[in-house]
PDB file of all heavy atoms in Angstrom:
ATOM      1  N   ALA Y   1      26.136 144.669 -55.486  1.00 83.00           N
ATOM      2  CA  ALA Y   1      26.694 143.995 -54.339  1.00 83.00           C
ATOM      3  C   ALA Y   1      27.957 143.194 -54.667  1.00 83.00           C
ATOM      4  O   ALA Y   1      28.761 142.924 -53.778  1.00 83.00           O
ATOM      5  CB  ALA Y   1      25.651 143.056 -53.729  1.00 83.00           C
ATOM      6  N   SER Y   2      28.135 142.839 -55.934  1.00 82.00           N
ATOM      7  CA  SER Y   2      29.182 141.863 -56.279  1.00 82.00           C
ATOM      8  C   SER Y   2      30.591 142.352 -55.839  1.00 82.00           C
ATOM      9  O   SER Y   2      31.384 141.571 -55.301  1.00 82.00           O
ATOM     10  CB  SER Y   2      29.214 141.599 -57.773  1.00 82.00           C
ATOM     11  OG  SER Y   2      29.335 142.823 -58.494  1.00 82.00           O
ATOM     12  N   ASN Y   3      30.874 143.621 -56.040  1.00 79.00           N
ATOM     13  CA  ASN Y   3      32.193 144.138 -55.646  1.00 79.00           C
ATOM     14  C   ASN Y   3      32.419 144.089 -54.154  1.00 79.00           C
ATOM     15  O   ASN Y   3      33.492 143.763 -53.669  1.00 79.00           O
ATOM     16  CB  ASN Y   3      32.378 145.573 -56.143  1.00 79.00           C
ATOM     17  CG  ASN Y   3      32.537 145.650 -57.647  1.00 79.00           C
ATOM     18  OD1 ASN Y   3      32.942 144.684 -58.295  1.00 79.00           O
ATOM     19  ND2 ASN Y   3      32.219 146.781 -58.262  1.00 79.00           N
ATOM     20  N   TYR Y   4      31.326 144.439 -53.424  1.00 81.00           N
ATOM     21  CA  TYR Y   4      31.455 144.435 -51.947  1.00 81.00           C
ATOM     22  C   TYR Y   4      31.605 142.997 -51.402  1.00 81.00           C
ATOM     23  O   TYR Y   4      32.383 142.749 -50.503  1.00 81.00           O
ATOM     24  CB  TYR Y   4      30.242 145.129 -51.313  1.00 81.00           C
ATOM     25  CG  TYR Y   4      30.129 146.601 -51.729  1.00 81.00           C
ATOM     26  CD1 TYR Y   4      29.083 146.985 -52.558  1.00 81.00           C
ATOM     27  CD2 TYR Y   4      31.041 147.543 -51.314  1.00 81.00           C
ATOM     28  CE1 TYR Y   4      28.966 148.303 -52.950  1.00 81.00           C
ATOM     29  CE2 TYR Y   4      30.925 148.847 -51.723  1.00 81.00           C
ATOM     30  CZ  TYR Y   4      29.891 149.250 -52.515  1.00 81.00           C
ATOM     31  OH  TYR Y   4      29.761 150.553 -52.916  1.00 81.00           O
ATOM     32  N   THR Y   5      30.856 142.107 -52.023  1.00 80.00           N
ATOM     33  CA  THR Y   5      30.952 140.686 -51.613  1.00 80.00           C
ATOM     34  C   THR Y   5      32.372 140.163 -51.823  1.00 80.00           C
ATOM     35  O   THR Y   5      32.913 139.468 -50.971  1.00 80.00           O
ATOM     36  CB  THR Y   5      29.937 139.855 -52.379  1.00 80.00           C
ATOM     37  OG1 THR Y   5      28.587 140.346 -52.124  1.00 80.00           O
ATOM     38  CG2 THR Y   5      29.975 138.402 -51.910  1.00 80.00           C
ATOM     39  N   SER Y   6      32.934 140.454 -52.955  1.00 81.00           N
ATOM     40  CA  SER Y   6      34.280 139.987 -53.264  1.00 81.00           C
ATOM     41  C   SER Y   6      35.300 140.552 -52.292  1.00 81.00           C
ATOM     42  O   SER Y   6      36.214 139.898 -51.842  1.00 81.00           O
ATOM     43  CB  SER Y   6      34.645 140.371 -54.702  1.00 81.00           C
ATOM     44  OG  SER Y   6      33.785 139.759 -55.643  1.00 81.00           O
ATOM     45  N   GLU Y   7      35.135 141.862 -51.974  1.00 82.00           N
ATOM     46  CA  GLU Y   7      36.033 142.537 -51.039  1.00 82.00           C
ATOM     47  C   GLU Y   7      35.962 141.898 -49.632  1.00 82.00           C
ATOM     48  O   GLU Y   7      37.024 141.626 -48.990  1.00 82.00           O
ATOM     49  CB  GLU Y   7      35.689 144.008 -50.956  1.00 82.00           C
ATOM     50  CG  GLU Y   7      36.576 144.826 -50.079  1.00 82.00           C
ATOM     51  CD  GLU Y   7      36.187 146.309 -49.996  1.00 82.00           C
ATOM     52  OE1 GLU Y   7      35.452 146.733 -50.898  1.00 82.00           O
ATOM     53  OE2 GLU Y   7      36.610 146.972 -49.083  1.00 82.00           O
ATOM     54  N   ILE Y   8      34.722 141.656 -49.162  1.00 82.00           N
ATOM     55  CA  ILE Y   8      34.570 141.017 -47.832  1.00 82.00           C
ATOM     56  C   ILE Y   8      35.141 139.623 -47.831  1.00 82.00           C
ATOM     57  O   ILE Y   8      35.842 139.206 -46.904  1.00 82.00           O
ATOM     58  CB  ILE Y   8      33.070 141.021 -47.465  1.00 82.00           C
ATOM     59  CG1 ILE Y   8      32.549 142.438 -47.283  1.00 82.00           C
ATOM     60  CG2 ILE Y   8      32.854 140.178 -46.157  1.00 82.00           C
ATOM     61  CD1 ILE Y   8      31.051 142.548 -47.157  1.00 82.00           C
ATOM     62  N   LYS Y   9      34.843 138.874 -48.920  1.00 81.00           N
ATOM     63  CA  LYS Y   9      35.315 137.531 -49.001  1.00 81.00           C
ATOM     64  C   LYS Y   9      36.865 137.458 -48.952  1.00 81.00           C
ATOM     65  O   LYS Y   9      37.448 136.594 -48.306  1.00 81.00           O
ATOM     66  CB  LYS Y   9      34.809 136.871 -50.295  1.00 81.00           C
ATOM     67  CG  LYS Y   9      34.902 135.337 -50.329  1.00 81.00           C
ATOM     68  CD  LYS Y   9      34.168 134.781 -51.515  1.00 81.00           C
ATOM     69  CE  LYS Y   9      34.200 133.263 -51.518  1.00 81.00           C
ATOM     70  NZ  LYS Y   9      33.410 132.703 -52.621  1.00 81.00           N
ATOM     71  N   SER Y  10      37.491 138.436 -49.604  1.00 81.00           N
ATOM     72  CA  SER Y  10      38.948 138.483 -49.590  1.00 81.00           C
ATOM     73  C   SER Y  10      39.485 138.757 -48.192  1.00 81.00           C
ATOM     74  O   SER Y  10      40.467 138.118 -47.754  1.00 81.00           O
ATOM     75  CB  SER Y  10      39.424 139.529 -50.593  1.00 81.00           C
ATOM     76  OG  SER Y  10      40.809 139.668 -50.521  1.00 81.00           O
ATOM     77  N   GLU Y  11      38.868 139.694 -47.523  1.00 84.00           N
ATOM     78  CA  GLU Y  11      39.318 140.026 -46.164  1.00 84.00           C
ATOM     79  C   GLU Y  11      39.108 138.876 -45.205  1.00 84.00           C
ATOM     80  O   GLU Y  11      39.965 138.565 -44.373  1.00 84.00           O
ATOM     81  CB  GLU Y  11      38.601 141.277 -45.656  1.00 84.00           C
ATOM     82  CG  GLU Y  11      38.983 142.543 -46.392  1.00 84.00           C
ATOM     83  CD  GLU Y  11      38.352 143.777 -45.791  1.00 84.00           C
ATOM     84  OE1 GLU Y  11      37.829 143.693 -44.665  1.00 84.00           O
ATOM     85  OE2 GLU Y  11      38.377 144.859 -46.394  1.00 84.00           O
ATOM     86  N   VAL Y  12      37.970 138.222 -45.295  1.00 78.00           N
ATOM     87  CA  VAL Y  12      37.656 137.115 -44.403  1.00 78.00           C
ATOM     88  C   VAL Y  12      38.649 135.928 -44.617  1.00 78.00           C
ATOM     89  O   VAL Y  12      39.095 135.293 -43.671  1.00 78.00           O
ATOM     90  CB  VAL Y  12      36.208 136.602 -44.630  1.00 78.00           C
ATOM     91  CG1 VAL Y  12      35.952 135.290 -43.902  1.00 78.00           C
ATOM     92  CG2 VAL Y  12      35.216 137.685 -44.136  1.00 78.00           C
ATOM     93  N   SER Y  13      39.021 135.732 -45.866  1.00 78.00           N
ATOM     94  CA  SER Y  13      39.945 134.627 -46.187  1.00 78.00           C
ATOM     95  C   SER Y  13      41.316 134.785 -45.592  1.00 78.00           C
ATOM     96  O   SER Y  13      42.053 133.824 -45.407  1.00 78.00           O
ATOM     97  CB  SER Y  13      40.037 134.447 -47.727  1.00 78.00           C
ATOM     98  OG  SER Y  13      40.745 135.549 -48.261  1.00 78.00           O
ATOM     99  N   GLN Y  14      41.668 136.000 -45.213  1.00 83.00           N
ATOM    100  CA  GLN Y  14      42.942 136.296 -44.644  1.00 83.00           C
ATOM    101  C   GLN Y  14      42.971 136.170 -43.130  1.00 83.00           C
ATOM    102  O   GLN Y  14      44.015 136.303 -42.483  1.00 83.00           O
ATOM    103  CB  GLN Y  14      43.413 137.689 -45.051  1.00 83.00           C
ATOM    104  CG  GLN Y  14      43.590 137.850 -46.561  1.00 83.00           C
ATOM    105  CD  GLN Y  14      43.900 139.295 -46.968  1.00 83.00           C
ATOM    106  OE1 GLN Y  14      44.637 139.981 -46.270  1.00 83.00           O
ATOM    107  NE2 GLN Y  14      43.325 139.719 -48.091  1.00 83.00           N
ATOM    108  N   LYS Y  15      41.804 135.952 -42.538  1.00 82.00           N
ATOM    109  CA  LYS Y  15      41.718 135.805 -41.064  1.00 82.00           C
ATOM    110  C   LYS Y  15      41.942 134.377 -40.643  1.00 82.00           C
ATOM    111  O   LYS Y  15      41.659 133.395 -41.360  1.00 82.00           O
ATOM    112  CB  LYS Y  15      40.359 136.298 -40.581  1.00 82.00           C
ATOM    113  CG  LYS Y  15      40.100 137.809 -40.782  1.00 82.00           C
ATOM    114  CD  LYS Y  15      38.775 138.205 -40.274  1.00 82.00           C
ATOM    115  CE  LYS Y  15      38.553 139.694 -40.411  1.00 82.00           C
ATOM    116  NZ  LYS Y  15      39.498 140.477 -39.601  1.00 82.00           N
ATOM    117  N   ASP Y  16      42.488 134.227 -39.419  1.00 80.00           N
ATOM    118  CA  ASP Y  16      42.721 132.876 -38.869  1.00 80.00           C
ATOM    119  C   ASP Y  16      41.406 132.115 -38.612  1.00 80.00           C
ATOM    120  O   ASP Y  16      41.363 130.928 -38.797  1.00 80.00           O
ATOM    121  CB  ASP Y  16      43.536 132.980 -37.603  1.00 80.00           C
ATOM    122  CG  ASP Y  16      44.946 133.547 -37.859  1.00 80.00           C
ATOM    123  OD1 ASP Y  16      45.474 133.317 -38.961  1.00 80.00           O
ATOM    124  OD2 ASP Y  16      45.510 134.190 -36.922  1.00 80.00           O
ATOM    125  N   THR Y  17      40.409 132.852 -38.164  1.00 85.00           N
ATOM    126  CA  THR Y  17      39.090 132.253 -37.905  1.00 85.00           C
ATOM    127  C   THR Y  17      38.021 133.090 -38.560  1.00 85.00           C
ATOM    128  O   THR Y  17      38.167 134.335 -38.673  1.00 85.00           O
ATOM    129  CB  THR Y  17      38.775 132.196 -36.397  1.00 85.00           C
ATOM    130  OG1 THR Y  17      38.845 133.489 -35.832  1.00 85.00           O
ATOM    131  CG2 THR Y  17      39.773 131.241 -35.661  1.00 85.00           C
ATOM    132  N   ARG Y  18      37.011 132.451 -39.117  1.00 86.00           N
ATOM    133  CA  ARG Y  18      35.961 133.170 -39.760  1.00 86.00           C
ATOM    134  C   ARG Y  18      35.050 133.860 -38.759  1.00 86.00           C
ATOM    135  O   ARG Y  18      34.645 133.252 -37.744  1.00 86.00           O
ATOM    136  CB  ARG Y  18      35.124 132.232 -40.618  1.00 86.00           C
ATOM    137  CG  ARG Y  18      35.897 131.662 -41.812  1.00 86.00           C
ATOM    138  CD  ARG Y  18      34.966 131.175 -42.912  1.00 86.00           C
ATOM    139  NE  ARG Y  18      34.035 130.127 -42.446  1.00 86.00           N
ATOM    140  CZ  ARG Y  18      33.181 129.539 -43.240  1.00 86.00           C
ATOM    141  NH1 ARG Y  18      33.055 129.927 -44.513  1.00 86.00           N
ATOM    142  NH2 ARG Y  18      32.389 128.586 -42.810  1.00 86.00           N
ATOM    143  N   PRO Y  19      34.713 135.099 -38.999  1.00 90.00           N
ATOM    144  CA  PRO Y  19      33.802 135.819 -38.100  1.00 90.00           C
ATOM    145  C   PRO Y  19      32.417 135.125 -38.081  1.00 90.00           C
ATOM    146  O   PRO Y  19      31.989 134.641 -39.104  1.00 90.00           O
ATOM    147  CB  PRO Y  19      33.692 137.235 -38.735  1.00 90.00           C
ATOM    148  CG  PRO Y  19      34.911 137.353 -39.533  1.00 90.00           C
ATOM    149  CD  PRO Y  19      35.241 136.020 -40.063  1.00 90.00           C
ATOM    150  N   LYS Y  20      31.856 135.096 -36.890  1.00 93.00           N
ATOM    151  CA  LYS Y  20      30.539 134.461 -36.731  1.00 93.00           C
ATOM    152  C   LYS Y  20      29.476 135.489 -36.431  1.00 93.00           C
ATOM    153  O   LYS Y  20      29.625 136.261 -35.451  1.00 93.00           O
ATOM    154  CB  LYS Y  20      30.600 133.425 -35.592  1.00 93.00           C
ATOM    155  CG  LYS Y  20      29.257 132.762 -35.298  1.00 93.00           C
ATOM    156  CD  LYS Y  20      29.390 131.810 -34.128  1.00 93.00           C
ATOM    157  CE  LYS Y  20      28.036 131.167 -33.775  1.00 93.00           C
ATOM    158  NZ  LYS Y  20      28.157 130.203 -32.620  1.00 93.00           N
ATOM    159  N   LEU Y  21      28.471 135.544 -37.270  1.00 93.00           N
ATOM    160  CA  LEU Y  21      27.366 136.452 -37.053  1.00 93.00           C
ATOM    161  C   LEU Y  21      26.152 135.638 -36.576  1.00 93.00           C
ATOM    162  O   LEU Y  21      25.904 134.559 -37.087  1.00 93.00           O
ATOM    163  CB  LEU Y  21      26.991 137.177 -38.327  1.00 93.00           C
ATOM    164  CG  LEU Y  21      27.728 138.541 -38.612  1.00 93.00           C
ATOM    165  CD1 LEU Y  21      29.219 138.265 -38.756  1.00 93.00           C
ATOM    166  CD2 LEU Y  21      27.146 139.199 -39.811  1.00 93.00           C
ATOM    167  N   VAL Y  22      25.428 136.215 -35.632  1.00 96.00           N
ATOM    168  CA  VAL Y  22      24.180 135.570 -35.121  1.00 96.00           C
ATOM    169  C   VAL Y  22      23.054 136.501 -35.405  1.00 96.00           C
ATOM    170  O   VAL Y  22      23.069 137.669 -35.084  1.00 96.00           O
ATOM    171  CB  VAL Y  22      24.298 135.279 -33.615  1.00 96.00           C
ATOM    172  CG1 VAL Y  22      22.962 134.745 -33.090  1.00 96.00           C
ATOM    173  CG2 VAL Y  22      25.398 134.263 -33.364  1.00 96.00           C
ATOM    174  N   GLY Y  23      22.016 135.967 -36.040  1.00 94.00           N
ATOM    175  CA  GLY Y  23      20.791 136.727 -36.329  1.00 94.00           C
ATOM    176  C   GLY Y  23      19.670 136.237 -35.474  1.00 94.00           C
ATOM    177  O   GLY Y  23      19.483 135.020 -35.327  1.00 94.00           O
ATOM    178  N   PHE Y  24      18.857 137.148 -34.917  1.00 96.00           N
ATOM    179  CA  PHE Y  24      17.737 136.805 -34.041  1.00 96.00           C
ATOM    180  C   PHE Y  24      16.470 137.169 -34.756  1.00 96.00           C
ATOM    181  O   PHE Y  24      16.203 138.332 -35.103  1.00 96.00           O
ATOM    182  CB  PHE Y  24      17.827 137.503 -32.731  1.00 96.00           C
ATOM    183  CG  PHE Y  24      18.930 137.018 -31.846  1.00 96.00           C
ATOM    184  CD1 PHE Y  24      20.116 137.721 -31.769  1.00 96.00           C
ATOM    185  CD2 PHE Y  24      18.805 135.882 -31.076  1.00 96.00           C
ATOM    186  CE1 PHE Y  24      21.178 137.265 -30.958  1.00 96.00           C
ATOM    187  CE2 PHE Y  24      19.803 135.385 -30.292  1.00 96.00           C
ATOM    188  CZ  PHE Y  24      21.040 136.071 -30.230  1.00 96.00           C
ATOM    189  N   LEU Y  25      15.604 136.147 -34.983  1.00 94.00           N
ATOM    190  CA  LEU Y  25      14.284 136.355 -35.541  1.00 94.00           C
ATOM    191  C   LEU Y  25      13.249 136.037 -34.455  1.00 94.00           C
ATOM    192  O   LEU Y  25      13.093 134.927 -34.018  1.00 94.00           O
ATOM    193  CB  LEU Y  25      14.053 135.427 -36.723  1.00 94.00           C
ATOM    194  CG  LEU Y  25      12.718 135.570 -37.486  1.00 94.00           C
ATOM    195  CD1 LEU Y  25      12.539 136.959 -38.043  1.00 94.00           C
ATOM    196  CD2 LEU Y  25      12.622 134.517 -38.609  1.00 94.00           C
ATOM    197  N   ALA Y  26      12.619 137.110 -33.974  1.00 94.00           N
ATOM    198  CA  ALA Y  26      11.678 136.960 -32.830  1.00 94.00           C
ATOM    199  C   ALA Y  26      10.330 137.566 -33.122  1.00 94.00           C
ATOM    200  O   ALA Y  26       9.726 138.181 -32.277  1.00 94.00           O
ATOM    201  CB  ALA Y  26      12.303 137.611 -31.591  1.00 94.00           C
ATOM    202  N   ASN Y  27       9.875 137.408 -34.349  1.00 89.00           N
ATOM    203  CA  ASN Y  27       8.530 137.855 -34.701  1.00 89.00           C
ATOM    204  C   ASN Y  27       7.928 136.932 -35.705  1.00 89.00           C
ATOM    205  O   ASN Y  27       8.596 136.000 -36.237  1.00 89.00           O
ATOM    206  CB  ASN Y  27       8.563 139.284 -35.219  1.00 89.00           C
ATOM    207  CG  ASN Y  27       9.432 139.436 -36.492  1.00 89.00           C
ATOM    208  OD1 ASN Y  27       9.341 138.640 -37.384  1.00 89.00           O
ATOM    209  ND2 ASN Y  27      10.242 140.476 -36.519  1.00 89.00           N
ATOM    210  N   ASP Y  28       6.664 137.185 -36.073  1.00 83.00           N
ATOM    211  CA  ASP Y  28       5.987 136.317 -37.017  1.00 83.00           C
ATOM    212  C   ASP Y  28       5.820 137.005 -38.376  1.00 83.00           C
ATOM    213  O   ASP Y  28       4.976 136.591 -39.228  1.00 83.00           O
ATOM    214  CB  ASP Y  28       4.573 135.942 -36.468  1.00 83.00           C
ATOM    215  CG  ASP Y  28       4.687 135.120 -35.217  1.00 83.00           C
ATOM    216  OD1 ASP Y  28       5.604 134.268 -35.122  1.00 83.00           O
ATOM    217  OD2 ASP Y  28       3.840 135.302 -34.311  1.00 83.00           O
ATOM    218  N   ASP Y  29       6.590 138.063 -38.619  1.00 79.00           N
ATOM    219  CA  ASP Y  29       6.514 138.798 -39.857  1.00 79.00           C
ATOM    220  C   ASP Y  29       7.088 137.983 -41.008  1.00 79.00           C
ATOM    221  O   ASP Y  29       8.253 137.657 -40.999  1.00 79.00           O
ATOM    222  CB  ASP Y  29       7.283 140.085 -39.688  1.00 79.00           C
ATOM    223  CG  ASP Y  29       7.194 141.002 -40.947  1.00 79.00           C
ATOM    224  OD1 ASP Y  29       6.720 140.516 -42.009  1.00 79.00           O
ATOM    225  OD2 ASP Y  29       7.479 142.219 -40.852  1.00 79.00           O
ATOM    226  N   PRO Y  30       6.287 137.591 -41.999  1.00 79.00           N
ATOM    227  CA  PRO Y  30       6.776 136.742 -43.067  1.00 79.00           C
ATOM    228  C   PRO Y  30       7.866 137.445 -43.886  1.00 79.00           C
ATOM    229  O   PRO Y  30       8.789 136.789 -44.408  1.00 79.00           O
ATOM    230  CB  PRO Y  30       5.542 136.465 -43.946  1.00 79.00           C
ATOM    231  CG  PRO Y  30       4.576 137.587 -43.617  1.00 79.00           C
ATOM    232  CD  PRO Y  30       4.826 137.890 -42.154  1.00 79.00           C
ATOM    233  N   TYR Y  31       7.823 138.785 -43.954  1.00 74.00           N
ATOM    234  CA  TYR Y  31       8.853 139.512 -44.698  1.00 74.00           C
ATOM    235  C   TYR Y  31      10.174 139.480 -43.954  1.00 74.00           C
ATOM    236  O   TYR Y  31      11.257 139.433 -44.550  1.00 74.00           O
ATOM    237  CB  TYR Y  31       8.415 140.958 -44.984  1.00 74.00           C
ATOM    238  CG  TYR Y  31       7.167 141.044 -45.835  1.00 74.00           C
ATOM    239  CD1 TYR Y  31       6.011 141.659 -45.353  1.00 74.00           C
ATOM    240  CD2 TYR Y  31       7.169 140.501 -47.092  1.00 74.00           C
ATOM    241  CE1 TYR Y  31       4.870 141.734 -46.187  1.00 74.00           C
ATOM    242  CE2 TYR Y  31       6.026 140.578 -47.905  1.00 74.00           C
ATOM    243  CZ  TYR Y  31       4.885 141.164 -47.472  1.00 74.00           C
ATOM    244  OH  TYR Y  31       3.787 141.235 -48.225  1.00 74.00           O
ATOM    245  N   ALA Y  32      10.126 139.561 -42.613  1.00 78.00           N
ATOM    246  CA  ALA Y  32      11.330 139.470 -41.826  1.00 78.00           C
ATOM    247  C   ALA Y  32      11.968 138.106 -41.990  1.00 78.00           C
ATOM    248  O   ALA Y  32      13.193 137.951 -42.077  1.00 78.00           O
ATOM    249  CB  ALA Y  32      11.030 139.775 -40.350  1.00 78.00           C
ATOM    250  N   GLU Y  33      11.130 137.065 -42.004  1.00 81.00           N
ATOM    251  CA  GLU Y  33      11.620 135.727 -42.189  1.00 81.00           C
ATOM    252  C   GLU Y  33      12.266 135.514 -43.556  1.00 81.00           C
ATOM    253  O   GLU Y  33      13.341 134.919 -43.699  1.00 81.00           O
ATOM    254  CB  GLU Y  33      10.519 134.697 -42.001  1.00 81.00           C
ATOM    255  CG  GLU Y  33      10.984 133.254 -42.023  1.00 81.00           C
ATOM    256  CD  GLU Y  33       9.894 132.258 -41.626  1.00 81.00           C
ATOM    257  OE1 GLU Y  33       8.831 132.672 -41.256  1.00 81.00           O
ATOM    258  OE2 GLU Y  33      10.222 131.038 -41.652  1.00 81.00           O
ATOM    259  N   LYS Y  34      11.657 136.140 -44.586  1.00 79.00           N
ATOM    260  CA  LYS Y  34      12.216 136.074 -45.933  1.00 79.00           C
ATOM    261  C   LYS Y  34      13.554 136.807 -45.963  1.00 79.00           C
ATOM    262  O   LYS Y  34      14.507 136.270 -46.589  1.00 79.00           O
ATOM    263  CB  LYS Y  34      11.225 136.749 -46.882  1.00 79.00           C
ATOM    264  CG  LYS Y  34      11.706 136.753 -48.341  1.00 79.00           C
ATOM    265  CD  LYS Y  34      10.659 137.458 -49.238  1.00 79.00           C
ATOM    266  CE  LYS Y  34      11.140 137.514 -50.684  1.00 79.00           C
ATOM    267  NZ  LYS Y  34      10.172 138.256 -51.540  1.00 79.00           N
ATOM    268  N   TYR Y  35      13.628 137.913 -45.321  1.00 78.00           N
ATOM    269  CA  TYR Y  35      14.886 138.684 -45.256  1.00 78.00           C
ATOM    270  C   TYR Y  35      15.931 137.902 -44.531  1.00 78.00           C
ATOM    271  O   TYR Y  35      17.141 137.901 -44.924  1.00 78.00           O
ATOM    272  CB  TYR Y  35      14.644 140.039 -44.619  1.00 78.00           C
ATOM    273  CG  TYR Y  35      15.844 140.871 -44.454  1.00 78.00           C
ATOM    274  CD1 TYR Y  35      16.794 141.094 -45.489  1.00 78.00           C
ATOM    275  CD2 TYR Y  35      16.124 141.560 -43.246  1.00 78.00           C
ATOM    276  CE1 TYR Y  35      17.929 141.846 -45.329  1.00 78.00           C
ATOM    277  CE2 TYR Y  35      17.262 142.354 -43.111  1.00 78.00           C
ATOM    278  CZ  TYR Y  35      18.159 142.487 -44.163  1.00 78.00           C
ATOM    279  OH  TYR Y  35      19.264 143.263 -44.011  1.00 78.00           O
ATOM    280  N   ALA Y  36      15.573 137.234 -43.461  1.00 81.00           N
ATOM    281  CA  ALA Y  36      16.500 136.438 -42.662  1.00 81.00           C
ATOM    282  C   ALA Y  36      17.092 135.316 -43.506  1.00 81.00           C
ATOM    283  O   ALA Y  36      18.307 135.044 -43.476  1.00 81.00           O
ATOM    284  CB  ALA Y  36      15.847 135.862 -41.449  1.00 81.00           C
ATOM    285  N   GLN Y  37      16.247 134.678 -44.289  1.00 82.00           N
ATOM    286  CA  GLN Y  37      16.720 133.567 -45.153  1.00 82.00           C
ATOM    287  C   GLN Y  37      17.648 134.077 -46.231  1.00 82.00           C
ATOM    288  O   GLN Y  37      18.678 133.476 -46.529  1.00 82.00           O
ATOM    289  CB  GLN Y  37      15.497 132.856 -45.765  1.00 82.00           C
ATOM    290  CG  GLN Y  37      14.674 132.098 -44.726  1.00 82.00           C
ATOM    291  CD  GLN Y  37      13.320 131.654 -45.316  1.00 82.00           C
ATOM    292  OE1 GLN Y  37      12.930 132.043 -46.431  1.00 82.00           O
ATOM    293  NE2 GLN Y  37      12.600 130.797 -44.560  1.00 82.00           N
TER     294      GLN Y  37
END
């Protein structure tokens, strides 16, 4: 993941505003919650 993270970070740093992502957790699955975190 390290190379992809660096690439994304570089692209985001060149934007005027940072992209906002919203995640929806609507279940009681502990694995889904772990993944969300």
Side-chain angles (χ1 to χ4, degrees):
S2 59
N3 288 338
Y4 299 111
T5 301
S6 298
E7 182 180 341
I8 294 169
K9 195 170 185 177
S10 176
E11 290 187 13
V12 169
S13 68
Q14 298 173 39
K15 295 182 177 294
D16 294 332
T17 58
R18 292 202 300 180
K20 177 182 177 180
L21 271 64
V22 174
F24 290 99
L25 182 60
N27 60 45
D28 296 323
D29 184 344
Y31 297 120
E33 185 170 358
K34 180 181 177 182
Y35 178 46
Q37 293 169 350

